[in-house]
Amino acid sequence: AGGAVVIESLHLYPVKSCAAMSVSRWPLGPHGLACDRRWAIVDGAGVTLTQKQCPGLSLLRPVVRLPSSARAHDGQLQLFAPDVPPLTIP
């Protein structure tokens, strides 16, 4: 009762249904962690894919590079996956 709160680890999911990104520090945006669940993988009809439909999404490892300015929500996304070159999304 009344003890200090300690955060043991911090993870965000920049791309829905993809791997987590572990961070030691991260800025907050207007709705929580900056860039958390900001992106999604969609099919040709624009429907968001999930790991239930595409289990391979769990192999996509996102990395967000935040700008040094105060506009932390304007991060650049890179996606890494086994055996393919990284994909950078501005």
Side-chain angles (χ1 to χ4, degrees):
V5 174
V6 176
I7 297 174
E8 296 285 333
S9 62
L10 185 60
H11 311 276
L12 63 141
Y13 294 84
V15 182
K16 181 175 173 38
S17 293
C18 292
M21 183 176 145
S22 298
V23 294
S24 58
R25 297 179 64 158
W26 201 257
L28 293 175
H31 305 289
L33 294 172
C35 298
D36 189 41
R37 293 173 179 84
R38 179 174 175 198
W39 294 276
I41 308 293
V42 298
D43 65 14
V47 176
T48 300
L49 299 176
T50 67
Q51 282 189 29
K52 285 182 182 179
Q53 301 145 317
C54 299
L57 288 175
S58 65
L59 300 175
L60 291 177
R61 190 175 52 84
V63 174
V64 176
R65 308 219 187 276
L66 295 176
S68 56
S69 71
R71 295 176 53 99
H73 61 278
D74 288 339
Q76 179 186 61
L77 174 67
Q78 285 189 295
L79 288 176
F80 296 88
D83 303 321
V84 295
L87 175 64
T88 300
I89 301 168

